[in-house]
Amino acid sequence: MSQKRRTFLKSLGLTGIGLTLAPNFLQAQPAIPARGQNLSTVTLSGKVHANGKGIPGVAVTDGYNVVLTDASGRYELLSNATADFVYIAIPRGYEFNNEKSITRFYQKIVPQRARFKADFELKRLAQDDTKHNFVVWADPQIISKEDAEQLKRESAQDLKQLLNSYPQNTLFHGIGCGDLVWDKFELFEDYQEALAISGIPFFQVIGNHDMNLDARTDEGSTEKFKELFGPTYYSFNRGEVHYVVLDDVFFIGTAKKYIGYLTERQLAWLEQDLATVRPGTTVVVSLHIPAYTRQHERNNEKEPSIGGVVSNRKELYRLLQPYKAHIMSGHTHFNEKIFEGENIIEHVHGTVCGAWWTGPICYDGTPSGYGVYEVNGSELQWYYKSTGLPKEHQLRVYPVGTMASKPEHVAVNVWNWDPSWKVEWLEDGKRMGEMTRETGLDPLSVELHEGASKPSKHKWVEPQATDHLFFAKPSAGVRTFAVQVTDRFGQVYRDELQLEKLESAVR
């Protein structure tokens, strides 16, 4: 053995142990394998502060683990090279940093020498946020410049008018509940312009039409969304409410095919995130594909589509059990309320685009629109806002003869109905009782959508059965028929028609 080689081995501490080294061992070894993921560790650190003063107890995460800032607002988190972002759960009492309504609560990890420093500067709200409101925009789903202009001209302007109808300085934020575009990534800019018209900060949920369809795995399908909006799952706080956003669209590697599924990585993260939240707190979880709907029952199918509900929802329910939970979802283009036990309500939203921008309604008769939620402490109240119509527009009445299956009955669609609502009818001012709820097709949806030739824009749209239709048969000789609807919060909505006129203004 040469003296040079002996000296080298001695420096490695390998002399005298009888090892014979292959020649390539003595060559420089790459720190990162030529193929496969880099799994090296990265130390994240920084400070969360307002005007230089540290904020204690703020949750910081890399999407794997969650740590809290110390008394001086500092954190340190051992991460790895597969993590994309370091981000915070914005605490109550602080503004939502945003760029033209797109919230920014994260930093892209760019490590140097296995370390990355990320400070987060927050600004205190000028008011108490115990009372605040939010809106849920499900499925803007624009596929063309025409759709995009309609989104800006009608939906965004409607939201702006709604915001202006509230007292000045009312706190509002928005949640874009997935399918922000319809596979056309160049239209994300138009979507962002629509949000900017509203002037409020929006948080984004990834939908099945917001994914890279040429990706080889689910992980790769989120690249464009992350580039524009940051993490696909995260949390934040406002007032007494803890908000969570999840990615439940699992891409299976073939274009336009996916299932509703929450990965183990997300569930493990959610478990840590919720560990920072006091039991009994109100938690609002937003995701795109509903945790559950009963549409398969209305369609006389044995089980729901694996792309229409979350397959492993029971674990989500288990994690939410200690809290008062509301789940916000979209995807379906119909409106429905789902109750899981005593403390979980899912709000399946009608869509901003209605039936894919073909007209004024979704295919269950729900008007194109969005959900509005008013928060007071830990309590939520809500209503559905129809685009271009007053907030009092909460039902549509169809006169006798409109429905071929029930030609002697008045029908009414109450799209935001749940079992705590009351739907009554009055004849010539006399209260007659509650109307009968049945499953059926909304008559306006039949008129606009049924058949291979319509709607002309997307001929595949068809009416879908809904269970928020109500019926009553008027008595002989009655001249006026009124429908009075009382929601779960005591708000009363009313519509009336003259029975001698079989036609009615249908909106």
Side-chain angles (χ1 to χ4, degrees):
M1 182 182 295
S2 70
Q3 182 63 36
K4 284 185 178 180
R5 188 173 183 221
R6 188 181 301 277
T7 302
F8 174 72
L9 293 176
K10 185 175 182 180
S11 70
L12 292 179
L14 297 177
T15 55
I17 59 174
L19 289 181
T20 300
L21 299 177
N24 63 356
F25 181 87
L26 302 180
Q27 300 171 5
Q29 298 298 301
I32 301 172
R35 295 181 181 178
Q37 281 190 318
N38 175 11
L39 299 176
S40 60
T41 59
V42 177
T43 300
L44 308 174
S45 63
K47 184 177 182 179
V48 183
H49 65 95
N51 293 323
K53 184 178 180 181
I55 306 172
V58 178
V60 185
T61 183
D62 61 349
Y64 289 94
N65 292 302
V66 178
V67 297
L68 299 178
T69 56
D70 64 17
S72 61
R74 298 190 179 279
Y75 71 91
E76 185 168 288
L77 174 61
L78 186 61
S79 184
N80 70 82
T82 66
D84 295 298
F85 304 97
V86 55
Y87 47 106
I88 63 171
I90 302 169
R92 70 172 298 177
Y94 291 88
E95 293 184 4
F96 297 146
N97 292 337
N98 67 93
E99 297 176 7
K100 297 181 179 179
S101 291
I102 305 298
T103 51
R104 305 297 187 198
F105 52 91
Y106 57 89
Q107 293 189 40
K108 175 73 175 173
I109 298 174
V110 185
Q112 292 185 347
R113 297 181 180 178
R115 298 191 69 87
F116 181 68
K117 188 174 186 295
D119 293 338
F120 295 89
E121 182 174 6
L122 300 179
K123 183 179 179 181
R124 273 205 169 274
L125 285 167
Q127 64 200 96
D128 178 53
D129 58 2
T130 302
K131 287 187 177 182
H132 65 273
N133 302 338
F134 66 96
V135 300
V136 176
W137 263 24
D139 302 69
Q141 204 159 343
I142 48 179
I143 199 173
S144 65
K145 279 290 185 180
E146 181 186 14
D147 291 352
E149 290 306 312
Q150 189 172 354
L151 175 69
K152 288 182 272 191
R153 182 179 65 250
E154 297 179 5
S155 305
Q157 292 294 341
D158 185 89
L159 175 56
K160 186 176 181 180
Q161 291 175 14
L162 175 78
L163 299 173
N164 289 338
S165 72
Y166 281 81
Q168 191 175 8
N169 297 324
T170 300
L171 284 173
F172 261 98
H173 67 273
I175 298 169
C177 211
D179 282 1
L180 313 178
V181 298
W182 191 351
D183 303 329
K184 301 289 186 179
F185 289 173
E186 64 270 22
L187 297 176
F188 272 128
E189 183 176 349
D190 294 273
Y191 170 72
Q192 294 178 68
E193 290 174 0
L195 298 189
I197 291 171
S198 75
I200 62 172
F202 261 79
F203 296 86
Q204 313 305 328
V205 178
I206 190 169
N208 52 288
H209 287 291
D210 305 318
M211 303 188 303
N212 298 65
L213 297 178
D214 57 353
R216 70 179 187 179
T217 64
D218 178 62
E219 287 81 0
S221 70
T222 59
E223 286 181 358
K224 186 62 177 181
F225 182 94
K226 288 178 177 178
E227 175 189 326
L228 294 172
F229 306 118
T232 61
Y233 58 93
Y234 53 92
S235 66
F236 60 95
N237 301 277
R238 175 140 281 184
E240 298 178 14
V241 180
H242 184 67
Y243 292 86
V244 175
V245 168
L246 296 175
D247 169 8
D248 67 347
V249 183
F250 191 90
F251 178 65
I252 62 173
T254 301
K256 300 189 185 239
K257 291 190 177 180
Y258 54 87
I259 61 174
Y261 181 77
L262 292 167
T263 62
E264 173 60 28
R265 176 174 162 180
Q266 276 190 90
L267 290 171
W269 170 85
L270 179 60
E271 201 159 22
Q272 292 182 68
D273 177 77
L274 292 177
T276 70
V277 180
R278 178 177 49 82
T281 298
T282 295
V283 175
V284 173
V285 177
S286 296
L287 35 71
H288 179 62
I289 296 175
Y292 191 64
T293 87
R294 291 192 169 84
Q295 188 65 12
H296 64 289
E297 297 176 6
R298 296 187 284 275
N299 293 341
N300 295 315
E301 298 165 349
K302 290 184 177 180
E303 58 185 21
S305 160
I306 61 172
V309 300
V310 177
S311 300
N312 57 340
R313 61 188 172 275
K314 288 185 179 179
E315 180 61 16
L316 175 62
Y317 293 155
R318 185 188 72 79
L319 293 176
L320 293 177
Q321 199 60 43
Y323 307 95
K324 293 191 297 184
H326 294 264
I327 299 174
M328 308 290 163
S329 59
H331 186 58
T332 64
H333 297 255
F334 58 72
N335 215 64
E336 184 177 9
K337 295 287 185 287
I338 296 291
F339 294 80
E340 175 63 29
E342 296 182 356
N343 63 334
I344 299 176
I345 304 175
E346 179 161 12
H347 308 258
V348 184
H349 291 83
T351 53
V352 172
C353 71
W356 296 270
W357 301 106
T358 61
I361 61 171
C362 304
Y363 51 45
D364 69 334
T366 299
S368 307
Y370 49 96
V372 183
Y373 297 82
E374 300 173 337
V375 182
N376 185 2
S378 63
E379 299 301 318
L380 272 63
Q381 291 194 16
W382 56 85
Y383 61 91
Y384 187 86
K385 176 62 176 69
S386 304
T387 302
L389 294 167
K391 61 186 291 186
E392 292 77 21
H393 183 65
Q394 297 293 325
L395 64 153
R396 186 187 304 112
V397 180
Y398 296 100
V400 170
T402 302
M403 288 194 68
S405 61
K406 299 181 80 67
E408 298 180 335
H409 290 71
V410 171
V412 57
N413 192 333
V414 187
W415 41 81
N416 217 29
W417 174 88
D418 70 49
S420 294
W421 288 48
K422 183 182 291 186
V423 181
E424 304 171 284
W425 93 96
L426 297 86
E427 296 181 348
D428 293 338
K430 180 182 178 183
R431 195 181 302 271
M432 301 299 294
E434 294 192 34
M435 299 180 74
T436 302
R437 183 171 67 96
E438 296 184 26
T439 297
L441 301 179
D442 176 82
L444 182 56
S445 182
V446 171
E447 179 184 336
L448 296 178
H449 303 147
E450 189 172 59
S453 64
K454 55 186 179 180
S456 58
K457 186 173 182 177
H458 297 305
K459 294 182 173 62
W460 43 265
V461 174
E462 289 291 328
Q464 294 287 323
T466 178
D467 61 5
H468 43 67
L469 290 176
F470 295 80
F471 299 89
K473 183 178 179 180
S475 305
V478 170
R479 294 181 58 82
T480 63
F481 187 105
V483 178
Q484 181 170 293
V485 175
T486 307
D487 72 12
R488 61 166 41 232
F489 309 111
Q491 298 292 323
V492 178
Y493 308 100
R494 185 182 173 112
D495 199 2
E496 184 173 300
L497 54 85
Q498 302 293 319
L499 288 182
E500 65 265 30
K501 299 178 181 179
L502 294 182
E503 72 276 11
S504 172
V506 173
R507 302 188 74 174

